[in-house]
């Protein structure tokens, strides 16, 4: 039986619609911070670019505040590796328990500024760090940025290692952070960020360290943090990444789309984050926070006080990676 041409066209269109629907995919994306922060905005930008460039065929659903791991950000990498999370925009700090090489970025005073950070992430050291992540079942696609971490407290201006003696400082759950603040004479106290603000409010801890964006958006000045020292002691790059099983199951064209969108979102977020620093500091000062900017001599005293930490952690990070990072920084 021969059907009219109009019916044939309608059948073809219906078949195409079914095929398009069958190809539609939704993936989970984990982040620790919401889109009130540049970190969360990076994940949302990635999702927006992917949706636009795939014409709605691929959806990245962002789950902020580490909600896919019940708030325990240090479990994010393991959850993604096991397949409980499809993708993430994650922190080198939070992933370092599973990828020791990522402790490179937490080595105290390894990097002085953004130029040093870029030299590492965009060079041989960055490739080695990505290779270490891929080796453990995750496909890294691009770099983002949570920023250099600065030090605040409720007691006094901090200009020298001796000023930290006995201060209780909230740190993330990394042994390297414990070692760094112990070397400086402080009393490092590990706790989640959700527990940190109440502890700062009650005085259970005296201070904390975080990027300027977190200090500003989270209004850490409202929980007694009256003194902020800009010491740039370490940076926290972000990584756009995908579970390898998900990655391998994607057509090559979709891999290219996801990867390029991650690169573009990462570049956008880094520029956004750095471009906001001056205004954020001005706003923080206007709220009555005393901001301390270290001289070269003052910073050198902190560098010297933490040399033993760098030496003890270098073998755990890997000689090849450490050398690549130091060589990148040393280049004119």
């Amino acid at each position: 039986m021969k059907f009219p041409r109009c019916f044939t066209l309608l059948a073809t269109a219906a078949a195409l619609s079914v095929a398009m629907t069958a190809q539609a995919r939704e993936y989970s994306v984990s982040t620790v911070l919401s889109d009130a922060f540049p970190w969360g905005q990076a994940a949302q930008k990635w999702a927006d670019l992917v949706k636009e460039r795939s014409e709605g065929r691929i959806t990245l659903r962002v789950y902020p505040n580490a909600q896919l791991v019940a708030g325990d950000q240090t479990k994010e990498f393991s959850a993604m590796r096991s397949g409980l999370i499809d993708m993430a925009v994650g922190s080198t700090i939070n992933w370092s328990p599973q990828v020791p090489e990522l402790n490179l970025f937490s080595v105290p005073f390894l990097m002085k500024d953004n130029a040093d950070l870029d030299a590492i992430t965009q060079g041989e050291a960055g490739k080695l760090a990505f290779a270490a992540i891929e080796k453990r079942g995750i496909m890294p696609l691009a770099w983002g940025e949570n920023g250099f971490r600065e030090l605040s407290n409720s007691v006094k201006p901090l200009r020298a290692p001796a000023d930290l003696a006995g201060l209780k400082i909230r740190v993330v759950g990394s042994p390297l952070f414990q070692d760094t603040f112990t070397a400086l004479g402080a009393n490092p106290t590990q706790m989640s960020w959700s527990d940190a603000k109440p502890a700062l409010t009650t005085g259970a801890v005296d201070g904390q360290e975080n990027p300027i964006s977190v200090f500003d958006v989270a209004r850490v000045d409202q929980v007694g943090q009256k003194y902020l020292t800009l010491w740039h002691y370490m940076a926290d790059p972000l990584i756009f990444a995908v579970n390898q099983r998900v990655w391998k199951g994607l057509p090559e064209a979709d891999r290219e789309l996801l990867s390029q969108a991650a690169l573009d979102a990462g570049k956008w977020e880094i520029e956004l984050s750095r471009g906001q620093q001056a205004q954020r500091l001005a706003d923080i000062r206007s709220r009555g926070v005393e901001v301390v900017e270290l001289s070269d001599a003052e910073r050198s005293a902190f560098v010297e006080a933490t040399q033993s930490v760098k030496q003890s952690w270098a073998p755990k990070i890997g000689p090849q990676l450490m050398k690549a990072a130091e060589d990148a920084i040393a280049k004119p």
Side-chain angles (χ1 to χ4, degrees), residues 190-209:
Q190 187 275 322
M191 62 179 65
S192 68
W193 184 240
S194 60
D195 293 331
K197 290 192 76 174
L200 291 167
T201 301
T202 62
V205 293
D206 301 308
Q208 61 86 50
E209 48 77 55

mmCIF file of all heavy atoms in Angstrom, residues 190-209:
data_model
loop_
_atom_site.group_PDB
_atom_site.id
_atom_site.type_symbol
_atom_site.label_atom_id
_atom_site.label_comp_id
_atom_site.label_asym_id
_atom_site.label_seq_id
_atom_site.Cartn_x
_atom_site.Cartn_y
_atom_site.Cartn_z
ATOM 1 N N GLN A 190 41.069 20.989 62.049
ATOM 2 C CA GLN A 190 40.378 20.585 60.829
ATOM 3 C C GLN A 190 38.876 20.535 61.065
ATOM 4 O O GLN A 190 38.398 19.954 62.033
ATOM 5 C CB GLN A 190 40.881 19.209 60.379
ATOM 6 C CG GLN A 190 40.336 18.768 59.013
ATOM 7 C CD GLN A 190 38.989 18.097 59.087
ATOM 8 O OE1 GLN A 190 38.722 17.334 60.014
ATOM 9 N NE2 GLN A 190 38.135 18.375 58.118
ATOM 10 N N MET A 191 38.115 21.165 60.160
ATOM 11 C CA MET A 191 36.658 21.080 60.198
ATOM 12 C C MET A 191 36.087 21.516 58.855
ATOM 13 O O MET A 191 36.747 22.228 58.087
ATOM 14 C CB MET A 191 36.075 21.939 61.329
ATOM 15 C CG MET A 191 36.345 23.420 61.216
ATOM 16 S SD MET A 191 35.585 24.377 62.581
ATOM 17 C CE MET A 191 36.472 23.769 63.995
ATOM 18 N N SER A 192 34.875 21.068 58.576
ATOM 19 C CA SER A 192 34.207 21.458 57.342
ATOM 20 C C SER A 192 33.848 22.937 57.413
ATOM 21 O O SER A 192 33.782 23.522 58.502
ATOM 22 C CB SER A 192 32.937 20.631 57.137
ATOM 23 O OG SER A 192 31.966 20.976 58.112
ATOM 24 N N TRP A 193 33.571 23.524 56.251
ATOM 25 C CA TRP A 193 33.217 24.946 56.226
ATOM 26 C C TRP A 193 31.880 25.192 56.923
ATOM 27 O O TRP A 193 31.667 26.233 57.557
ATOM 28 C CB TRP A 193 33.179 25.460 54.792
ATOM 29 C CG TRP A 193 32.907 26.930 54.692
ATOM 30 C CD1 TRP A 193 31.872 27.540 54.066
ATOM 31 C CD2 TRP A 193 33.687 27.992 55.274
ATOM 32 N NE1 TRP A 193 31.958 28.904 54.206
ATOM 33 C CE2 TRP A 193 33.060 29.209 54.944
ATOM 34 C CE3 TRP A 193 34.851 28.021 56.032
ATOM 35 C CZ2 TRP A 193 33.550 30.445 55.344
ATOM 36 C CZ3 TRP A 193 35.350 29.253 56.442
ATOM 37 C CH2 TRP A 193 34.701 30.450 56.101
ATOM 38 N N SER A 194 30.972 24.224 56.839
ATOM 39 C CA SER A 194 29.676 24.387 57.502
ATOM 40 C C SER A 194 29.842 24.453 59.018
ATOM 41 O O SER A 194 29.053 25.105 59.710
ATOM 42 C CB SER A 194 28.732 23.236 57.132
ATOM 43 O OG SER A 194 29.285 21.990 57.523
ATOM 44 N N ASP A 195 30.867 23.797 59.533
ATOM 45 C CA ASP A 195 31.135 23.846 60.975
ATOM 46 C C ASP A 195 32.017 25.042 61.348
ATOM 47 O O ASP A 195 32.037 25.467 62.508
ATOM 48 C CB ASP A 195 31.833 22.567 61.441
ATOM 49 C CG ASP A 195 30.937 21.341 61.350
ATOM 50 O OD1 ASP A 195 29.711 21.512 61.468
ATOM 51 O OD2 ASP A 195 31.460 20.230 61.147
ATOM 52 N N ALA A 196 32.731 25.565 60.374
ATOM 53 C CA ALA A 196 33.720 26.607 60.660
ATOM 54 C C ALA A 196 33.077 27.926 61.095
ATOM 55 O O ALA A 196 33.525 28.547 62.068
ATOM 56 C CB ALA A 196 34.596 26.845 59.438
ATOM 57 N N LYS A 197 32.033 28.349 60.401
ATOM 58 C CA LYS A 197 31.445 29.644 60.741
ATOM 59 C C LYS A 197 30.885 29.688 62.171
ATOM 60 O O LYS A 197 31.129 30.649 62.898
ATOM 61 C CB LYS A 197 30.386 30.041 59.711
ATOM 62 C CG LYS A 197 30.985 30.406 58.355
ATOM 63 C CD LYS A 197 29.994 31.063 57.431
ATOM 64 C CE LYS A 197 29.729 32.505 57.795
ATOM 65 N NZ LYS A 197 28.869 33.191 56.813
ATOM 66 N N PRO A 198 30.165 28.649 62.611
ATOM 67 C CA PRO A 198 29.740 28.656 64.022
ATOM 68 C C PRO A 198 30.927 28.668 64.985
ATOM 69 O O PRO A 198 30.876 29.338 66.033
ATOM 70 C CB PRO A 198 28.938 27.358 64.152
ATOM 71 C CG PRO A 198 28.464 27.066 62.774
ATOM 72 C CD PRO A 198 29.558 27.533 61.873
ATOM 73 N N ALA A 199 31.986 27.954 64.625
ATOM 74 C CA ALA A 199 33.168 27.902 65.493
ATOM 75 C C ALA A 199 33.858 29.263 65.568
ATOM 76 O O ALA A 199 34.363 29.661 66.627
ATOM 77 C CB ALA A 199 34.146 26.841 64.995
ATOM 78 N N LEU A 200 33.866 29.981 64.467
ATOM 79 C CA LEU A 200 34.436 31.326 64.457
ATOM 80 C C LEU A 200 33.567 32.278 65.278
ATOM 81 O O LEU A 200 34.071 33.147 65.990
ATOM 82 C CB LEU A 200 34.566 31.830 63.020
ATOM 83 C CG LEU A 200 35.615 31.137 62.137
ATOM 84 C CD1 LEU A 200 35.406 31.504 60.674
ATOM 85 C CD2 LEU A 200 37.030 31.506 62.577
ATOM 86 N N THR A 201 32.266 32.093 65.183
ATOM 87 C CA THR A 201 31.331 32.951 65.915
ATOM 88 C C THR A 201 31.509 32.818 67.425
ATOM 89 O O THR A 201 31.510 33.820 68.155
ATOM 90 C CB THR A 201 29.871 32.593 65.542
ATOM 91 O OG1 THR A 201 29.697 32.757 64.133
ATOM 92 C CG2 THR A 201 28.886 33.478 66.280
ATOM 93 N N THR A 202 31.673 31.601 67.886
ATOM 94 C CA THR A 202 31.786 31.356 69.334
ATOM 95 C C THR A 202 33.206 31.546 69.858
ATOM 96 O O THR A 202 33.416 31.568 71.074
ATOM 97 C CB THR A 202 31.345 29.923 69.661
ATOM 98 O OG1 THR A 202 32.213 28.985 68.986
ATOM 99 C CG2 THR A 202 29.906 29.681 69.229
ATOM 100 N N GLY A 203 34.182 31.663 68.933
ATOM 101 C CA GLY A 203 35.565 31.791 69.367
ATOM 102 C C GLY A 203 36.240 30.452 69.619
ATOM 103 O O GLY A 203 37.350 30.395 70.163
ATOM 104 N N ALA A 204 35.581 29.359 69.210
ATOM 105 C CA ALA A 204 36.200 28.032 69.347
ATOM 106 C C ALA A 204 37.466 27.949 68.508
ATOM 107 O O ALA A 204 38.408 27.220 68.838
ATOM 108 C CB ALA A 204 35.214 26.948 68.936
ATOM 109 N N VAL A 205 37.486 28.681 67.398
ATOM 110 C CA VAL A 205 38.716 28.860 66.626
ATOM 111 C C VAL A 205 38.924 30.354 66.414
ATOM 112 O O VAL A 205 37.961 31.133 66.390
ATOM 113 C CB VAL A 205 38.678 28.121 65.267
ATOM 114 C CG1 VAL A 205 38.671 26.619 65.461
ATOM 115 C CG2 VAL A 205 37.490 28.550 64.429
ATOM 116 N N ASP A 206 40.187 30.748 66.265
ATOM 117 C CA ASP A 206 40.524 32.170 66.148
ATOM 118 C C ASP A 206 40.535 32.679 64.719
ATOM 119 O O ASP A 206 40.321 33.878 64.485
ATOM 120 C CB ASP A 206 41.907 32.424 66.760
ATOM 121 C CG ASP A 206 41.979 32.026 68.215
ATOM 122 O OD1 ASP A 206 41.120 32.471 68.997
ATOM 123 O OD2 ASP A 206 42.902 31.259 68.581
ATOM 124 N N GLY A 207 40.830 31.789 63.776
ATOM 125 C CA GLY A 207 40.980 32.260 62.414
ATOM 126 C C GLY A 207 40.749 31.181 61.383
ATOM 127 O O GLY A 207 40.453 30.024 61.704
ATOM 128 N N GLN A 208 40.885 31.562 60.124
ATOM 129 C CA GLN A 208 40.662 30.653 59.012
ATOM 130 C C GLN A 208 41.456 31.144 57.805
ATOM 131 O O GLN A 208 41.940 32.279 57.784
ATOM 132 C CB GLN A 208 39.179 30.568 58.683
ATOM 133 C CG GLN A 208 38.545 31.892 58.263
ATOM 134 C CD GLN A 208 38.675 32.207 56.793
ATOM 135 O OE1 GLN A 208 38.368 31.384 55.942
ATOM 136 N NE2 GLN A 208 39.130 33.424 56.466
ATOM 137 N N GLU A 209 41.580 30.302 56.796
ATOM 138 C CA GLU A 209 42.254 30.717 55.563
ATOM 139 C C GLU A 209 41.366 30.328 54.389
ATOM 140 O O GLU A 209 40.840 29.226 54.337
ATOM 141 C CB GLU A 209 43.657 30.104 55.466
ATOM 142 C CG GLU A 209 43.770 28.618 55.747
ATOM 143 C CD GLU A 209 43.288 27.765 54.589
ATOM 144 O OE1 GLU A 209 43.785 27.955 53.476
ATOM 145 O OE2 GLU A 209 42.407 26.910 54.799
#
